[in-house]
Amino acid sequence: MTSPLFHRWATALLLLLALGFAGGAQAAGRERLSLDEGWLFHRGDVPMPAIKGHGMSYQNGKANNGWGAAAADFDDSGWRRLDLPHDWAVESPFDRNENASQGYRARGIGWYRRYLQLGESDRGRHLELQLDAVATYSTVWINGVVVNRNWSGYNGRNIDITPYVRYGSDPNTIAIRVDAEAQEGWWYEGAGIYRHTWLVKRDPLHIATDGLHANPVQQGGRWTVPVEVTLESSDHVARDAIVDVALLDTGGREVARGSARARVGALESTVVRTRLNIREPRLWSLARPELYRARAVLREGRKEIDSTEVQTGFRTVRFDADRGFFLNGEHVKIQGVCVHQDHAGVGVAMPESIWEFRLRRLKEMGVNAVRFAHNAPAAEVLDMADRLGLLVMDENRHFNPSPDYLSQLTWLVRRDRNHPSVILWSIFNEEPLQSTEAGYEMARRMVAEIRKLDPTRPVTGAMHGGLTTDRNAADAVDVVGLNYQIWIYDEYHRKHPRRPLTSTEDTSAFMTRGAYESDRQAQVMGSYDEEPSSWGNTHRDAWKAIAQRPFIAGSFVWTGIDYRGEPTPYEWPSASSFFGAMDLAGFAKGAFWIHQAQWVKDRPVVKLQPHWNWTGREGRDIRVMVTSNAQRVRVLLNGQPVGEQAVDPYQMNHFQVPYAPGRIEAVALQDGKEVARDVVETSGSAVRLVLTPDRPALAGDGLDAVPVTVSAVDAQGRAVSLAQDKVSFTLEGDGAIIGVGNGDPNSHEPDKAHERSLFNGLAQVIVQSCRDGQGRLRLRVTAEGLQPAQVDLALTTVSGPARVPVVEPTTPLLGWRISPPSATRPDPNVVLAENDMNSWGWDEPPMRRGPEAAAFRLYRSSVAVRADRNDGRARLRFGSIAGKAEVWVDGVKVGEKTGTEPAPFAVVLPKGKSQRQVTVLVEAAPGQPSGLWDRVVLERGSP
Ligand code: GAL
């Protein structure tokens, strides 16, 4: 079996080959390179120096004024090297002094740095740094120039770095300060660069990022695809270009095409439009999510200069005030869940394949819609929703139409408006201003902005009150979203009969996976679906209220999967939620089976709960809950019928069964015939461990990850559902264990570990391939007193995305001052007044002079030498000095170059203070050029 990721990379590779990008071909067209590898990380802040004195103040007023760790010449040796995505909060221990809402994990401040080499062939191209998301506030510097500030942990940024970069041997520095003391949510948000980073190289005239809009519409029974392509140019002159747009079906066959011409001025952007007509396209539906791809190629004459593709699909969506939601004209009751974005073991730095695992699990539960609460999901997740046939409510984080926040909303809409899965934009969730005129005005502005970019999809907002005022935010949206408030459904519908309504959030009931008796002392909740929050309802009651009202489009259960933080109804030691139909690892709780019975229509399902290990309760009644979508269910104990009932599709079926160890079975009956059966057996004590990977193989691309379930069985191979043994893992082969979990909201065991306790019979270990991984991974699990288990996972050879090579860190000497030329030898220790910014010039290597009339010049810079390197052995390396030269450090001559030819040169730095002044006296040979022709660096490591 190959993973969908494999298909994606394979398709990408084929595309690359088709476009002639592969094999290090001449830099042309578009290259999108992963920048995830080889970052340096420092946890905690690096204090900026106090700005004092004229010289420092003067420099502080300049563009490249990044100080401290933001500076290009900052010495970051000793920082931890890691690959992104990264969440440092999930690496933290649990601490009761930290915020319960953030899962009792310290967040704080952190710094990332990355070196980036650009060859001469990159000169003249348009270079964009893409950050998919950073939690939470962040500031980005390129070579000491601040290029972006962002106040949200959920939106991506596309930063034009072309103006600030250097080409050739001197690497560029990307520095990012992340402030995760800032909070935007009341749930676990993680900390750090937790989504992907990219470097995109394009022609100066190119298709803007997220600049291809191809969203099919049906008009008068005919399908067309209005296409808009945004072109941008960072070129120096106006250029004429042609945009060809093709629509490709699932098999890659072209089914429609169009083109448009454009003239794009220097440093301007323009939008070109065309329209593709297509007869009888295959519709995207939940059962058959047919996808098309729109491809735009930008040409100048016959030369292709850029191209891009988006995934799209043909479907209509409509919300009806009386009858709910329609997809392609057919009624679909929304069976949705809300989810946050963290998972066991990995926090918010979630590999795509773990997202895919979660979405598949949700589908298995019968879910047909997902609300990514309360923020934009990763782009890849929407691709998956398209592919898997899931509806999406795409939600913006901040309810705020001021320019900064509005740009986060428009970024979201531009990025996501081609996805057939996206059926609703959500602009707010439970806002205190929702009931006010201000709330209405704010919502109105946000809706108007969305309309400009996407007139096809309705907008909702999640109201948890405020619906009865004269003017409120619900008046500004297309579909009124109701959080909880089941009691208001009928009344609101009566008062506003023309307004489509949906639940945007409901349920909020508590369960602990595998537990069937609540124990408030131990902070455990039973799984019979009897304990809703005071504002919510049981899973069964919430769905009943929604299912029985055709005018409510559907449900969005809070939540599909547990998440860290918000450990309601408890606090410490509980650290993650109890709301999920699945636990943090994606193991089913009681609610999973309830919804499966309510929602799955295409196959019979039946599930019997609880486990059947009740030693000491022999003869006493045990409550048995059977969930099924059949007509009737029958329960058998040790082969004897103990009851049969007509299925209650809302409340499900309950039996009191006097306990006797053995085998208890639930049989689902349709027209008197058995259509499904579930069996639960009393187990003996655990003797052996079992490993069950979600998939048998993974792509060897350094990205693909597989969750593996660990369980314990007795001597007869029966699951031991109450096993709590501590297990340990080892992994051999080209891969790594990236996290462990067990779904216990009260567990304080670390996520980043090679051991974990089973919780009510289960634990999860997540293994990820290494880049260029080959062969197989062998995972072993052991536990005291139990037979170990092992499993092999095949690694398929996949090259993965093209990457930006990792460059070893260096400390360059920057900010050079250059004296005027002089005919006589100047004093290398001449003092340049602190407030003299003009009598010497400013420059950076390469500094090539002459031939000049006067032979001598002084070049001066400074460098900070860290204490651990200040041992009299550190070296200053000059890439190339032309002319004779003397190198002086803090008034002492430390080296002399006697030859006049351009040549590399190095000196050893004597021990001394940390901040060194370096002066180079260069004497040009008569009639010859001179200078520091290449970069100057302080070498790291011992000489
Ligand atoms: C809602 C809120 C969710 C979550 C939930 C818990 O009010 O929108 O984010 O906090 O309550 O019940």
Side-chain angles (χ1 to χ4, degrees):
M1 191 175 107
T2 52
S3 78
L5 276 175
F6 168 79
H7 286 298
R8 198 132 49 83
W9 296 133
T11 319
L13 191 71
L14 284 175
L15 184 74
L16 236 51
L17 285 166
L19 297 174
F21 291 167
Q26 176 61 31
R30 171 183 295 223
E31 286 177 281
R32 187 168 195 246
L33 308 169
S34 166
L35 193 62
D36 285 348
E37 210 180 2
W39 287 74
L40 299 171
F41 172 65
H42 172 81
R43 186 156 180 181
D45 206 359
V46 179
M48 296 280 181
I51 309 296
K52 278 190 189 151
H54 184 273
M56 204 176 179
S57 304
Y58 181 84
Q59 287 188 52
N60 188 51
K62 308 299 171 188
N64 57 341
N65 64 356
W67 297 103
D73 58 359
F74 178 76
D75 186 346
D76 48 25
S77 43
W79 283 25
R80 176 177 154 199
R81 182 157 159 178
L82 50 78
D83 297 339
L84 304 176
H86 175 231
D87 172 4
W88 82 69
V90 78
E91 297 170 351
S92 313
F94 294 89
D95 178 349
R96 75 178 310 157
N97 298 315
E98 294 295 338
N99 187 353
S101 296
Q102 298 281 346
Y104 294 109
R105 252 44 202 265
R107 299 175 75 233
I109 290 170
W111 281 86
Y112 294 85
R113 288 171 58 90
R114 213 295 187 173
Y115 293 84
L116 169 67
Q117 194 117 34
L118 295 165
E120 281 302 327
S121 59
D122 291 320
R123 196 185 288 279
R125 303 181 80 190
H126 183 89
L127 305 170
E128 188 169 276
L129 171 66
Q130 300 183 345
L131 306 175
D132 287 352
V134 180
T136 287
Y137 294 171
S138 58
T139 312
V140 184
W141 290 264
I142 304 288
N143 296 333
V145 180
V146 67
V147 294
N148 187 269
R149 295 187 183 93
N150 189 64
W151 274 20
S152 177
Y154 300 100
N155 66 302
R157 269 146 310 151
N158 307 310
I159 308 164
D160 174 13
I161 60 168
T162 327
Y164 322 102
V165 296
R166 296 185 286 264
Y167 306 91
S169 54
D170 220 357
N172 298 278
T173 321
I174 306 169
I176 304 183
R177 180 180 187 268
V178 182
D179 174 359
E181 264 160 17
Q183 299 183 25
E184 296 174 277
W186 47 97
W187 57 89
Y188 174 84
E189 300 186 272
I193 310 178
Y194 72 93
R195 289 186 191 158
H196 295 300
T197 55
W198 307 91
L199 176 67
V200 184
K201 302 178 180 181
R202 285 172 287 192
D203 191 281
L205 172 59
H206 55 266
I207 300 165
T209 301
D210 299 327
L212 171 55
H213 181 201
N215 186 31
V217 291
Q218 200 185 32
Q219 284 164 345
R222 296 171 67 136
W223 282 101
T224 58
V225 188
V227 180
E228 284 185 354
V229 185
T230 307
L231 303 178
E232 283 173 350
S233 176
S234 53
D235 213 331
H236 299 83
V237 292
R239 286 165 67 183
D240 294 306
I242 297 170
V243 184
D244 292 328
V245 184
L247 189 71
L248 313 172
D249 69 11
T250 332
R253 282 177 299 271
E254 186 179 304
V255 291
R257 62 160 48 228
S259 67
R261 288 176 180 278
R263 183 175 181 81
V264 192
L267 294 174
E268 285 185 355
S269 88
T270 191
V271 178
V272 299
R273 293 181 176 80
T274 182
R275 187 172 280 273
L276 310 178
N277 293 315
I278 169 162
R279 275 169 201 241
E280 297 177 10
R282 287 205 292 252
L283 298 188
W284 183 91
S285 68
L286 300 182
R288 287 186 64 98
E290 288 282 349
L291 290 172
Y292 286 74
R293 297 190 72 78
R295 174 152 196 256
V297 175
L298 180 65
R299 283 192 292 118
E300 208 171 22
R302 296 173 63 162
K303 190 173 160 223
E304 179 176 322
I305 53 175
D306 193 14
S307 67
T308 192
E309 279 195 16
V310 294
Q311 186 164 285
T312 189
F314 291 80
R315 91 283 181 275
T316 59
V317 297
R318 181 166 62 88
F319 282 84
D320 182 279
D322 290 320
R323 292 182 301 148
F325 176 66
F326 289 79
L327 180 70
N328 300 325
E330 282 174 29
H331 180 254
V332 174
K333 192 81 179 182
I334 294 174
Q335 301 165 172
V337 292
C338 304
V339 288
H340 280 314
Q341 58 169 356
D342 63 310
H343 190 88
V346 294
V348 293
M350 212 199 289
E352 274 114 84
S353 43
I354 298 300
W355 259 120
E356 215 226 345
F357 164 74
R358 289 159 70 98
L359 296 187
R360 274 194 280 114
R361 293 283 293 147
L362 290 171
K363 282 208 70 147
E364 211 180 310
M365 173 174 147
V367 167
N368 65 14
V370 182
R371 174 186 184 202
F372 293 101
H374 303 291
N375 49 261
E380 299 83 5
V381 181
L382 293 180
D383 288 339
M384 282 172 211
D386 288 349
R387 275 202 311 273
L388 293 170
L390 282 165
L391 306 171
V392 170
M393 183 195 297
D394 204 357
E395 185 156 319
N396 181 50
R397 174 72 289 274
H398 293 283
F399 181 50
N400 191 328
S402 66
D404 198 19
Y405 289 111
L406 207 57
S407 71
Q408 294 172 12
L409 175 65
T410 53
W411 162 82
L412 174 80
V413 178
R414 284 175 64 85
R415 188 194 68 167
D416 296 347
R417 60 187 167 164
N418 298 309
H419 289 284
S421 57
V422 176
I423 58 161
L424 268 176
W425 303 111
S426 164
I427 54 169
F428 63 82
N429 176 67
E430 300 186 347
E431 287 289 336
L433 292 176
Q434 68 199 358
S435 61
T436 66
E437 193 166 353
Y440 165 75
E441 285 298 339
M442 289 161 74
R444 199 166 70 88
R445 280 160 176 75
M446 294 173 80
V447 171
E449 212 59 35
I450 293 176
R451 292 260 198 279
K452 287 182 204 161
L453 295 168
D454 176 28
T456 70
R457 290 176 182 81
V459 180
T460 190
M463 306 278 295
H464 71 327
L467 288 155
T468 49
T469 56
D470 286 347
R471 264 247 183 277
N472 57 64
D475 299 334
V477 298
D478 306 302
V479 176
V480 177
L482 301 169
N483 279 14
Y484 311 98
Q485 311 171 82
I486 282 180
W487 66 88
I488 213 170
Y489 285 0
D490 296 326
E491 186 191 328
Y492 193 82
H493 178 54
R494 204 169 44 248
K495 286 198 180 140
H496 303 277
R498 301 172 70 114
R499 288 192 181 174
L501 303 181
T502 185
S503 157
T504 25
E505 201 173 309
D506 50 78
T507 311
S508 275
F510 311 119
M511 285 185 192
T512 302
R513 194 228 342 123
Y516 290 91
E517 288 176 321
S518 294
D519 179 345
R520 292 264 164 182
Q521 202 79 41
Q523 307 199 169
V524 167
M525 307 302 286
S527 290
Y528 290 109
D529 190 30
E530 304 235 280
E531 287 169 287
S533 58
S534 54
W535 56 94
N537 299 89
T538 63
H539 288 267
R540 292 166 297 156
D541 289 346
W543 176 246
K544 186 173 184 181
I546 291 162
Q548 292 185 332
R549 288 175 173 79
F551 62 88
I552 300 284
S555 158
F556 282 97
V557 172
W558 191 268
T559 50
I561 309 174
D562 274 338
Y563 51 96
R564 292 174 178 79
E566 212 172 34
T568 319
Y570 303 112
E571 290 198 344
W572 184 267
S574 300
S576 58
S577 76
F578 290 78
F579 293 118
M582 287 179 252
D583 69 19
L584 201 52
F587 296 129
K589 299 193 204 171
F592 180 100
W593 308 113
I594 292 173
H595 288 297
Q596 191 181 60
Q598 292 168 338
W599 291 347
V600 167
K601 306 277 182 310
D602 59 356
R603 61 184 195 278
V605 297
V606 65
K607 181 75 188 170
L608 181 147
Q609 298 181 82
H611 59 78
W612 208 240
N613 272 65
W614 299 97
T615 311
R617 305 258 192 117
E618 283 76 3
R620 285 171 40 202
D621 276 354
I622 300 291
R623 176 173 169 188
V624 169
M625 172 156 74
V626 179
T627 48
S628 176
N629 58 359
Q631 285 164 340
R632 297 184 70 78
V633 285
R634 181 183 299 152
V635 174
L636 309 171
L637 178 62
N638 293 326
Q640 299 304 311
V642 291
E644 185 177 318
Q645 295 175 13
V647 164
D648 178 336
Y650 298 117
Q651 296 305 329
M652 303 291 137
N653 294 82
H654 305 267
F655 302 81
Q656 293 296 339
V657 181
Y659 179 64
R663 180 182 173 91
I664 183 158
E665 292 166 86
V667 180
L669 303 164
Q670 196 73 20
D671 301 327
K673 281 208 210 86
E674 173 174 341
V675 287
R677 180 181 289 243
D678 190 34
V679 180
V680 179
E681 289 183 90
T682 308
S683 67
S685 45
V687 299
R688 180 163 62 85
L689 294 169
V690 177
L691 288 174
T692 315
D694 175 54
R695 286 178 283 137
L698 66 169
D701 58 4
L703 297 168
D704 199 4
V706 172
V708 182
T709 301
V710 192
S711 56
V713 293
D714 68 5
Q716 277 71 44
R718 295 178 293 220
V720 182
S721 43
L722 294 175
Q724 317 287 342
D725 303 72
K726 183 153 197 164
V727 302
S728 302
F729 306 101
T730 53
L731 186 74
E732 267 171 34
D734 298 342
I737 291 172
I738 58 167
V740 292
N742 64 14
D744 177 2
N746 299 335
S747 168
H748 290 176
E749 289 176 286
D751 286 88
K752 300 289 174 192
H754 284 206
E755 55 181 32
R756 188 75 189 205
S757 301
L758 301 183
F759 173 61
N760 291 339
L762 302 173
Q764 183 175 74
V765 52
I766 303 176
V767 297
Q768 186 170 49
S769 63
C770 294
R771 179 185 167 191
D772 300 324
Q774 285 183 354
R776 55 138 177 81
L777 296 178
R778 173 158 293 173
L779 177 70
R780 281 204 186 86
V781 61
T782 57
E784 218 180 293
L786 301 183
Q787 285 170 36
Q790 74 176 40
V791 70
D792 286 353
L793 294 154
L795 289 168
T796 51
T797 310
V798 177
S799 52
R803 293 169 158 87
V804 178
V806 176
V807 187
E808 288 312 314
T810 50
T811 309
L813 273 68
L814 300 170
W816 289 85
R817 304 292 308 268
I818 311 164
S819 71
S822 66
T824 54
R825 182 180 184 283
D827 174 5
N829 294 321
V830 62
V831 176
L832 183 61
E834 156 95 358
N835 55 9
D836 177 356
M837 299 300 159
N838 296 297
S839 49
W840 288 30
W842 298 79
D843 206 352
E844 303 292 353
M847 296 178 282
R848 297 180 181 222
R849 303 272 154 200
E852 297 180 307
F856 296 95
R857 272 186 193 267
L858 294 171
Y859 295 77
R860 184 171 286 168
S861 177
S862 66
V863 64
V865 187
R866 276 171 36 152
D868 57 346
R869 207 85 61 67
N870 203 345
D871 56 1
R873 297 192 302 163
R875 253 177 218 258
L876 271 188
R877 188 171 287 285
F878 295 80
S880 175
I881 303 180
K884 289 189 201 165
E886 293 170 23
V887 180
W888 292 70
V889 175
D890 292 337
V892 178
K893 187 159 115 184
V894 295
E896 186 164 348
K897 173 179 176 271
T898 50
T900 58
E901 291 299 305
F905 190 64
V907 297
V908 174
L909 272 187
K911 243 171 137 156
K913 55 183 184 163
S914 67
Q915 195 67 30
R916 302 301 176 78
Q917 186 185 75
V918 178
T919 307
V920 188
L921 168 60
V922 178
E923 181 185 351
Q928 295 300 311
S930 67
L932 306 187
W933 280 19
D934 204 344
R935 65 195 182 128
V936 185
V937 296
L938 173 65
E939 279 195 345
R940 303 186 177 206
S942 297

